[in-house]
Amino acid sequence: MPARKKIGVLISGRGSNMMSILDACERGEINGDVVVVISNKANAEGLQKAAARGAEALAVSHREFPDRESFDRAVVEKLEKREVNLVCLAGFMRLLSSWFVSSFRNRIMNIHPALLPSFPGLHGQKQAVDHGVKISGATVHFVDEKLDHGPIIIQRAVEVRDDDSDDSLSERILKIEHQIYPEAVKLFCADRLRVEGRKVFIQDK
Ligand code: GRF
């Protein structure tokens, strides 16, 4: 078994994906621990949930920095101080600078509520309903310099029903998100992910 990994989670809101990762760590399914949760919004619901679980929960407001990179530098400094191996974006509503991405190349994951490359950006679920697709889902991918673009680790599909609203589809997709994000983190922490260009290969145990 490889050395236990240190995970940092970045959030901006509710934090249900963060909780799914924390839960899987606590159940012993992941060879790692969430060592810090950072929110760019001090009032994020997820911060209180993380603190209630005994995780270190910090607010770093982007408003206190003159530009994106100085905010990113403050966040990266906190992650590096805690020797974080893997950064999980979980509803983190800020674009990362290329400096941040290259500081943690192939060590930043994101979850997106659609089957990328379809429906990147905000409101992936609403985009799917409006477009009339029959299948959507969720994607966990490594983060690169472009929005919702990096190498794909896991995707899972859900049916889009004729009577689906944005909310009903979001609810069904969220259940899938809570399955595949911890799965992807588990694979990373077991050193089972190999990235070659755009492709992520899952290696046997
Ligand atoms: C999720 O739908 C995720 O896919 C998207 O933002 C939402 C965050 O929800 N990136 P939560 O904060 O994890 O509950």
Side-chain angles (χ1 to χ4, degrees):
M1 188 59 101
R4 219 170 155 76
K5 301 286 192 286
K6 294 182 177 164
I7 303 163
V9 186
L10 305 190
I11 62 168
S12 299
R14 180 176 60 180
S16 71
N17 279 288
M18 171 209 72
M19 289 301 286
S20 74
I21 295 167
L22 262 174
D23 286 345
C25 289
E26 281 184 11
R27 289 196 300 266
E29 291 167 12
I30 291 174
N31 179 38
D33 302 290
V34 174
V35 295
V36 66
V37 174
I38 301 175
S39 171
N40 65 309
K41 293 192 175 170
N43 60 356
E45 217 183 302
L47 271 186
Q48 285 153 24
K49 292 183 191 165
R53 283 300 185 85
E56 187 184 15
L58 305 175
V60 182
S61 172
H62 58 279
R63 293 177 194 281
E64 284 166 25
F65 297 86
D67 52 34
R68 187 178 305 283
E69 192 155 322
S70 52
F71 167 73
D72 282 8
R73 282 185 190 277
V75 173
V76 166
E77 189 209 317
K78 294 194 185 315
L79 296 169
E80 285 180 340
K81 193 173 159 202
R82 290 158 184 82
E83 300 179 321
V84 161
N85 307 106
L86 173 66
V87 181
C88 293
L89 309 185
F92 183 63
M93 303 305 285
R94 300 280 303 166
L95 292 173
L96 301 187
S97 62
S98 49
W99 178 79
F100 192 144
V101 174
S102 54
S103 301
F104 282 89
R105 174 75 57 196
N106 292 335
R107 294 193 296 135
I108 308 170
M109 287 183 187
N110 181 42
I111 181 122
H112 183 74
L115 294 176
L116 293 172
S118 289
F119 312 130
L122 289 176
H123 311 304
Q125 308 94 326
K126 182 173 188 309
Q127 292 185 57
V129 170
D130 290 349
H131 196 91
V133 293
K134 303 295 186 192
I135 291 172
S136 192
T139 303
V140 183
H141 64 95
F142 283 117
V143 170
D144 69 6
E145 282 77 2
K146 294 188 202 154
L147 178 68
D148 298 331
H149 174 269
I152 290 168
I153 304 164
I154 303 183
Q155 293 187 298
R156 198 153 297 157
V158 302
E159 187 190 355
V160 182
R161 299 178 187 148
D162 290 348
D163 61 353
D164 259 331
S165 63
D166 179 10
D167 284 348
S168 63
L169 181 62
S170 298
E171 199 178 311
R172 205 167 323 116
I173 289 176
L174 194 63
K175 287 195 183 128
I176 299 294
E177 294 184 38
H178 295 162
Q179 295 167 8
I180 66 174
Y181 212 169
E183 280 178 32
V185 172
K186 176 181 176 171
L187 290 168
F188 180 96
C189 291
D191 286 343
R192 291 184 56 200
L193 298 178
R194 183 167 54 86
V195 186
E196 277 181 33
R198 273 214 56 82
K199 292 192 182 168
V200 179
F201 296 94
I202 297 176
Q203 295 177 300
D204 290 340
K205 278 186 197 168

